[in-house]
Short mmCIF file of all heavy atoms in Angstrom, two decimals:
data_model
loop_
_atom_site.label_atom_id
_atom_site.label_comp_id
_atom_site.label_asym_id
_atom_site.label_seq_id
_atom_site.Cartn_x
_atom_site.Cartn_y
_atom_site.Cartn_z
N PRO A 29 0.80 -1.22 0.00
CA PRO A 29 0.00 0.00 0.00
C PRO A 29 0.84 1.28 0.00
O PRO A 29 0.55 2.22 -0.75
CB PRO A 29 -0.83 -0.14 1.28
CG PRO A 29 -1.00 -1.62 1.45
CD PRO A 29 0.31 -2.20 0.99
N ASP A 30 1.89 1.33 0.82
CA ASP A 30 2.72 2.53 0.89
C ASP A 30 3.42 2.79 -0.44
O ASP A 30 3.52 3.95 -0.89
CB ASP A 30 3.75 2.40 2.01
CG ASP A 30 3.12 2.56 3.38
OD1 ASP A 30 1.98 3.05 3.47
OD2 ASP A 30 3.79 2.18 4.38
N GLN A 31 3.93 1.75 -1.07
CA GLN A 31 4.59 1.92 -2.37
C GLN A 31 3.62 2.48 -3.41
O GLN A 31 3.98 3.38 -4.18
CB GLN A 31 5.14 0.58 -2.85
CG GLN A 31 6.35 0.08 -2.12
CD GLN A 31 6.73 -1.35 -2.53
OE1 GLN A 31 5.88 -2.14 -2.98
NE2 GLN A 31 8.00 -1.69 -2.37
N LEU A 32 2.41 1.95 -3.41
CA LEU A 32 1.44 2.37 -4.41
C LEU A 32 0.94 3.79 -4.15
O LEU A 32 0.76 4.57 -5.10
CB LEU A 32 0.27 1.38 -4.44
CG LEU A 32 0.64 -0.03 -4.88
CD1 LEU A 32 -0.52 -0.99 -4.67
CD2 LEU A 32 1.08 -0.05 -6.34
N MET A 33 0.71 4.12 -2.89
CA MET A 33 0.27 5.48 -2.59
C MET A 33 1.33 6.50 -2.98
O MET A 33 1.01 7.60 -3.46
CB MET A 33 -0.06 5.60 -1.10
CG MET A 33 -1.22 4.72 -0.65
SD MET A 33 -2.83 5.23 -1.26
CE MET A 33 -3.34 6.33 0.04
N GLU A 34 2.58 6.12 -2.82
CA GLU A 34 3.68 7.01 -3.23
C GLU A 34 3.75 7.13 -4.75
O GLU A 34 3.79 8.24 -5.30
CB GLU A 34 5.00 6.44 -2.69
CG GLU A 34 6.24 7.23 -3.10
CD GLU A 34 6.44 8.48 -2.27
OE1 GLU A 34 6.04 8.51 -1.10
OE2 GLU A 34 7.01 9.45 -2.84
N LYS A 35 3.72 6.01 -5.45
CA LYS A 35 3.86 6.03 -6.90
C LYS A 35 2.71 6.76 -7.59
O LYS A 35 2.92 7.47 -8.58
CB LYS A 35 3.96 4.60 -7.45
CG LYS A 35 4.06 4.57 -8.98
CD LYS A 35 4.35 3.18 -9.50
CE LYS A 35 4.44 3.23 -11.03
NZ LYS A 35 4.81 1.91 -11.61
N TYR A 36 1.49 6.59 -7.05
CA TYR A 36 0.32 7.16 -7.72
C TYR A 36 -0.10 8.52 -7.15
O TYR A 36 -1.17 9.03 -7.48
CB TYR A 36 -0.83 6.16 -7.68
CG TYR A 36 -0.58 4.98 -8.58
CD1 TYR A 36 0.12 3.86 -8.11
CD2 TYR A 36 -0.97 4.98 -9.91
CE1 TYR A 36 0.39 2.78 -8.94
CE2 TYR A 36 -0.71 3.91 -10.75
CZ TYR A 36 -0.03 2.81 -10.25
OH TYR A 36 0.24 1.74 -11.08
N GLY A 37 0.77 9.09 -6.32
CA GLY A 37 0.56 10.48 -5.92
C GLY A 37 -0.51 10.71 -4.88
O GLY A 37 -1.22 11.73 -4.96
N LEU A 38 -0.61 9.83 -3.87
CA LEU A 38 -1.65 9.95 -2.87
C LEU A 38 -1.07 10.09 -1.46
O LEU A 38 -1.64 9.58 -0.50
CB LEU A 38 -2.59 8.74 -2.92
CG LEU A 38 -3.26 8.43 -4.26
CD1 LEU A 38 -4.21 7.25 -4.11
CD2 LEU A 38 -4.02 9.63 -4.80
N THR A 39 0.04 10.80 -1.31
CA THR A 39 0.67 10.97 -0.01
C THR A 39 0.40 12.37 0.53
O THR A 39 -0.12 13.24 -0.16
CB THR A 39 2.19 10.78 -0.10
OG1 THR A 39 2.75 11.87 -0.86
CG2 THR A 39 2.54 9.47 -0.80
N GLU A 40 0.78 12.58 1.79
CA GLU A 40 0.64 13.91 2.38
C GLU A 40 1.44 14.96 1.62
O GLU A 40 1.02 16.12 1.50
CB GLU A 40 1.04 13.90 3.86
CG GLU A 40 2.45 13.45 4.15
CD GLU A 40 2.57 11.95 4.42
OE1 GLU A 40 1.75 11.18 3.86
OE2 GLU A 40 3.47 11.56 5.18
N ASN A 41 2.60 14.57 1.08
CA ASN A 41 3.41 15.52 0.31
C ASN A 41 2.72 15.92 -0.99
O ASN A 41 2.84 17.07 -1.44
CB ASN A 41 4.79 14.93 0.02
CG ASN A 41 5.64 14.82 1.28
OD1 ASN A 41 5.59 15.68 2.15
ND2 ASN A 41 6.41 13.75 1.39
N ASP A 42 1.98 14.99 -1.58
CA ASP A 42 1.22 15.33 -2.79
C ASP A 42 0.09 16.30 -2.46
O ASP A 42 -0.23 17.20 -3.26
CB ASP A 42 0.65 14.05 -3.42
CG ASP A 42 1.73 13.13 -3.93
OD1 ASP A 42 2.48 13.55 -4.83
OD2 ASP A 42 1.85 12.01 -3.42
N ILE A 43 -0.51 16.15 -1.29
CA ILE A 43 -1.55 17.09 -0.87
C ILE A 43 -0.95 18.48 -0.62
O ILE A 43 -1.54 19.50 -0.99
CB ILE A 43 -2.29 16.57 0.38
CG1 ILE A 43 -3.01 15.25 0.05
CG2 ILE A 43 -3.28 17.60 0.91
CD1 ILE A 43 -3.64 14.57 1.26
N VAL A 44 0.23 18.52 -0.01
CA VAL A 44 0.92 19.79 0.21
C VAL A 44 1.19 20.49 -1.12
O VAL A 44 0.91 21.69 -1.29
CB VAL A 44 2.24 19.56 0.97
CG1 VAL A 44 3.10 20.82 0.96
CG2 VAL A 44 1.96 19.12 2.41
N THR A 45 1.72 19.75 -2.08
CA THR A 45 2.02 20.33 -3.40
C THR A 45 0.75 20.85 -4.07
O THR A 45 0.74 21.94 -4.66
CB THR A 45 2.69 19.28 -4.30
OG1 THR A 45 3.91 18.86 -3.68
CG2 THR A 45 3.00 19.85 -5.67
N ALA A 46 -0.33 20.08 -3.97
CA ALA A 46 -1.59 20.50 -4.56
C ALA A 46 -2.11 21.76 -3.89
O ALA A 46 -2.65 22.67 -4.56
CB ALA A 46 -2.61 19.37 -4.46
N ALA A 47 -1.97 21.84 -2.57
CA ALA A 47 -2.43 23.03 -1.85
C ALA A 47 -1.64 24.26 -2.28
O ALA A 47 -2.22 25.34 -2.49
CB ALA A 47 -2.28 22.81 -0.35
N GLU A 48 -0.35 24.11 -2.44
CA GLU A 48 0.48 25.25 -2.88
C GLU A 48 0.11 25.68 -4.29
O GLU A 48 0.09 26.89 -4.60
CB GLU A 48 1.96 24.86 -2.77
CG GLU A 48 2.44 24.71 -1.34
CD GLU A 48 3.85 24.16 -1.22
OE1 GLU A 48 4.29 23.42 -2.15
OE2 GLU A 48 4.50 24.45 -0.21
N ARG A 49 -0.21 24.74 -5.15
CA ARG A 49 -0.65 25.08 -6.52
C ARG A 49 -1.98 25.83 -6.48
O ARG A 49 -2.15 26.83 -7.19
CB ARG A 49 -0.80 23.83 -7.37
CG ARG A 49 0.49 23.25 -7.90
CD ARG A 49 0.24 22.32 -9.09
NE ARG A 49 -0.73 21.28 -8.78
CZ ARG A 49 -0.42 20.03 -8.40
NH1 ARG A 49 0.86 19.71 -8.24
NH2 ARG A 49 -1.35 19.14 -8.16
N ALA A 50 -2.91 25.35 -5.68
CA ALA A 50 -4.21 26.00 -5.58
C ALA A 50 -4.07 27.43 -5.08
O ALA A 50 -4.72 28.36 -5.60
CB ALA A 50 -5.14 25.19 -4.68
N ILE A 51 -3.23 27.61 -4.07
CA ILE A 51 -3.02 28.97 -3.52
C ILE A 51 -2.39 29.87 -4.55
O ILE A 51 -2.78 31.04 -4.70
CB ILE A 51 -2.17 28.88 -2.25
CG1 ILE A 51 -2.95 28.18 -1.12
CG2 ILE A 51 -1.72 30.26 -1.80
CD1 ILE A 51 -2.10 27.80 0.07
N SER A 52 -1.42 29.37 -5.31
CA SER A 52 -0.76 30.19 -6.34
C SER A 52 -1.73 30.60 -7.43
O SER A 52 -1.66 31.73 -7.95
CB SER A 52 0.44 29.45 -6.92
OG SER A 52 0.02 28.34 -7.71
N ARG A 53 -2.64 29.73 -7.79
CA ARG A 53 -3.65 30.06 -8.80
C ARG A 53 -4.61 31.12 -8.28
O ARG A 53 -5.03 32.01 -9.01
CB ARG A 53 -4.41 28.80 -9.22
CG ARG A 53 -3.59 27.81 -10.02
CD ARG A 53 -4.35 26.51 -10.23
NE ARG A 53 -5.62 26.75 -10.92
CZ ARG A 53 -6.64 25.90 -10.92
NH1 ARG A 53 -6.53 24.76 -10.24
NH2 ARG A 53 -7.73 26.19 -11.57
N LYS A 54 -4.95 31.01 -7.00
CA LYS A 54 -5.86 32.00 -6.39
C LYS A 54 -5.23 33.39 -6.40
O LYS A 54 -5.95 34.38 -6.59
CB LYS A 54 -6.15 31.56 -4.95
CG LYS A 54 -6.94 32.57 -4.13
CD LYS A 54 -7.17 32.09 -2.71
CE LYS A 54 -5.91 32.00 -1.90
NZ LYS A 54 -6.16 31.73 -0.46
N ASN A 55 -3.93 33.44 -6.22
CA ASN A 55 -3.25 34.73 -6.05
C ASN A 55 -2.84 35.37 -7.36
O ASN A 55 -2.24 36.45 -7.36
CB ASN A 55 -2.04 34.55 -5.14
CG ASN A 55 -2.42 34.19 -3.72
OD1 ASN A 55 -3.52 34.54 -3.27
ND2 ASN A 55 -1.56 33.48 -3.01
N LYS A 56 -3.11 34.71 -8.48
CA LYS A 56 -2.72 35.30 -9.77
C LYS A 56 -3.67 36.44 -10.15
O LYS A 56 -4.86 36.37 -9.90
CB LYS A 56 -2.75 34.22 -10.86
CG LYS A 56 -1.54 33.29 -10.78
CD LYS A 56 -1.53 32.31 -11.95
CE LYS A 56 -0.29 31.41 -11.90
NZ LYS A 56 -0.27 30.42 -13.01
#
């Protein structure tokens, strides 16, 4: 499960990256 969640982009770090992208889009 951990290997797959990492490979397919479902980790806490992926959520962090997505949040930063969303904030950057909001601020444009």
Side-chain angles (χ1 to χ4, degrees):
D30 286 345
Q31 287 172 334
L32 296 171
M33 296 290 270
E34 177 78 30
K35 178 172 180 176
Y36 289 88
L38 304 183
T39 69
E40 59 268 30
N41 290 323
D42 295 298
I43 297 174
V44 169
T45 300
E48 291 173 333
R49 282 199 306 263
I51 293 169
S52 70
R53 290 172 58 199
K54 173 182 67 171
N55 293 334
K56 284 185 178 179

